[in-house]
Structures are given as structure tokens and as C-alpha cells.
Amino acid sequence: MQHALGVAMLTAGETERAAEHFRAAVRDNLALAHWPAAALSRARLAQALGPASAGAARELATATREAGRLGMVLPDFAAPAEDRRVTCRRRGSHWLFALDGRSALVEHSVGMGYLATLLDNPGHELTAVALAHGVVAETTSAQPVLDQAATAHYRRWLANLEAELDEHEANHDVGRAEQVRTERDWLLGELSAAAGLAGRVREFAGAEEKARIAVGKAIRRALTRIAAADAVIGDVLRDGVRTGTRCSYDPG
């Protein structure tokens, strides 16, 4: 029964609960002296723990050794190579990230949306501007229209909005964060549309640089939250995701 429940939890992506059931299955089968079933449950336990787990390696080694003594061949529960990439799908106000039977359910944020786009396009480079579609293209005009007082005012306004946005996202206040983000994007649009911002008024970066910074920060915050939910998935994503002017996800 415990083994069957473990398989059901694996199918549902509940790897931690699956591991609990397989541990119970190993314990019960050993108590019954049902050695083949114990070896099979150990192999399934290793699958639930995941390939990056040291415990999984120990369980699989024990299962293989016990199976060899019994003259049995264990099924290969390893995921095929094409399933090794992290996938995600939206679940209401959350995102479900999955890898090799593991899963992490994380609340939506702007960075989660960027990651979802990258994961849906593995191996392809996307510009940060394309991801941050609310940032307008920078103008090529060289005529400044903002005086120093206006420039200082807008700089303080933008800095306050960025700080407020970081605070709301850290507190998972999705509604307020979206309001602040809309105001920030509007301000960036006004500044980018103003002539001379790419020339004389150098304190404001162009749309491409703004997008690079904003998208990079949002994705890094998202990766931190995913790693808190599942360290293995978080590490795999950190290894595969690239940010900058161009962003990508390489599952290889």
C-alpha cells in the first residue's frame, strides 16, 4: 500500500510525500522479510529524492546491491534525457515548476513571468526589452528638454518607485506591486520619450539598459524564491538561466 501511494504521489509531482511513502514501504517490506519488494521500494525512494540528492545515491546503491543478491534486475526509473529540462505552468496566482518528479509551487511575480517565457523558449535568446514589454524604446534625439531641477526630481521619483517595488515584491504584495510597477513603467516611458536622455542627460539609462537591470533583478528574485521552495530545481535553473541584454534558458 505504501509503495502504491508513493507511486501516486510521484505521478502528482508531490516528491516529498512520495519519499515518505517509499520510506515506509522499505521499512514495512523489511519487517515482512519481503526482500524483492524492499529493493524495489528503495529504487523508487531514490527516484523521489532526485538525482542531485546524496541520499538518493545511497538508496539506489543499496537497492542495486540487494537486487543483485536476489538475481533480480531493477527497472530504470531515471527520467529520459528529453525530460531533464525544468518546465512550468500557471496555477491561478502561482507557478508550478517541475523537474524529474520534483515540483515547486511559487507565488506569481513579474520575475516568475519572465522565467516562464524563457522556459517556454529553451535554447532561444530573448532581449530583456522584449521580456519587459512595458519599457519603450529609447529616442535618438540629442536635444535636452529637462532642466537640472526636473532631472533631479524624476531621478528621486524613479528611485523611490524602484525601492517601493522591491519592498512589495519581497512582501509578496502582488496587488500593490503591480500598481507601483505600472507607475514606474509609465515614468520610464515618459523619460525615454523625452529628447536628449540618450545624450546630455546621462543619468537615465536607455530603455535597453533599464530593461537589462530590471529584468535581471526580477529573475534573480524569482530564482531565490524557487530555490527556497526546492533547492534542486533552484540550482538547475540558476545553472541554465542567463540574464543580461539578452536572456535565455539552456536546459543542457
Side-chain angles (χ1 to χ4, degrees), residues 153-173:
H153 168 72
Y154 284 124
R155 188 192 300 116
R156 289 193 298 271
W157 187 4
L158 183 60
N160 288 338
L161 288 175
E162 294 282 4
E164 189 176 353
L165 178 60
D166 285 347
E167 179 181 353
H168 289 312
E169 288 188 342
N171 293 330
H172 310 309
D173 189 343

Side-chain angles (χ1 to χ4, degrees), residues 133-148:
H133 49 79
V135 180
V136 301
E138 76 176 292
T139 179
T140 57
S141 172
Q143 295 298 320
V145 296
L146 298 178
D147 59 23
Q148 291 184 353

Side-chain angles (χ1 to χ4, degrees), residues 227-251:
D230 189 287
V232 173
I233 294 178
D235 287 343
V236 170
L237 283 176
R238 284 195 175 109
D239 289 341
V241 171
R242 299 290 179 269
T243 60
T245 304
R246 293 180 175 276
C247 306
S248 64
Y249 168 58
D250 181 6

